[in-house]
Amino acid sequence: MLDNFKKNLKKSFFKENAIKLIHPDLPKKFNSLRSEGVKIALNTGYSVDIQEVLIDSLNMRDFIDGYISSESVEHGRPDPFMIKELMNRFNIDNPQEVAKLGDTTIDIFEGKNANCGLSIGVLTGAETKEKLINAGADMVLNSVMDL
């Protein structure tokens, strides 16, 4: 059943023009942040194979520093394992130096559980501003482009 789900997900994601960046200037935005010493890492509840196909389809390797899937750690969100593993990979000892961005309440919970310096909600996904604030978001942005 899981294999069928993944197969159907891949088919729907990877139809021509089915997925695109949230903004065409996202690579410039991320590379600008990276030029200032900020590490850009992605985490997801999707499987590694789906995550890698998404990253490759969107040419994201050119403007991110790393990524992790929940299947690569003991537990996914809201547990902090993905954030902690990324911190380890980038030699970041202090979670207060980490900003977690996400579009769901569970993303905010993950950032809080990892003791991130900021847990930032973005409105480009499924949740409302009110739900993200009620989950504990330190701030809510319309988009990651507003960083």
Side-chain angles (χ1 to χ4, degrees):
M1 187 153 135
L2 181 59
D3 287 339
N4 281 342
F5 171 76
K6 286 169 72 172
K7 185 177 177 181
N8 290 333
L9 186 62
K10 285 180 184 179
K11 280 183 186 177
S12 66
F13 267 159
F14 305 114
K15 290 180 185 174
E16 190 171 331
N17 298 321
I19 60 168
K20 59 184 178 186
L21 294 174
I22 62 165
H23 193 281
D25 289 336
L26 186 65
K28 288 180 193 173
K29 179 66 153 184
F30 279 6
N31 281 330
S32 174
L33 291 167
R34 292 170 74 209
S35 73
E36 295 176 29
V38 174
K39 297 291 185 192
I40 304 290
L42 309 176
N43 70 359
T44 187
Y46 289 129
S47 62
V48 172
D49 60 327
I50 290 175
Q51 183 181 36
E52 288 184 345
V53 173
L54 283 168
I55 287 169
D56 289 337
S57 295
L58 297 170
N59 298 311
M60 294 185 85
R61 292 184 198 274
D62 295 336
F63 55 95
I64 64 171
D65 297 294
Y67 59 91
I68 193 167
S69 165
S70 61
E71 76 176 15
S72 301
V73 294
E74 185 176 345
H75 297 286
R77 296 182 198 114
D79 289 324
F81 294 107
M82 288 190 287
I83 291 173
K84 297 292 186 182
E85 175 58 28
L86 287 167
M87 288 174 57
N88 184 54
R89 290 179 189 178
F90 293 111
N91 298 312
I92 300 169
D93 296 322
N94 184 357
Q96 290 294 298
E97 296 176 358
V98 176
K100 165 64 182 179
L101 279 77
D103 62 1
T104 66
T105 56
I106 202 161
D107 287 316
I108 302 304
F109 296 149
E110 178 189 27
K112 293 297 183 180
N113 289 338
N115 198 30
C116 291
L118 289 172
S119 292
I120 302 170
V122 291
L123 297 175
T124 50
E127 304 282 1
T128 65
K129 182 176 184 176
E130 181 179 34
K131 284 184 179 181
L132 293 168
I133 289 171
N134 288 340
D138 296 301
M139 66 179 69
V140 177
L141 304 174
N142 287 324
S143 162
V144 68
M145 297 301 293
D146 295 330
L147 275 175

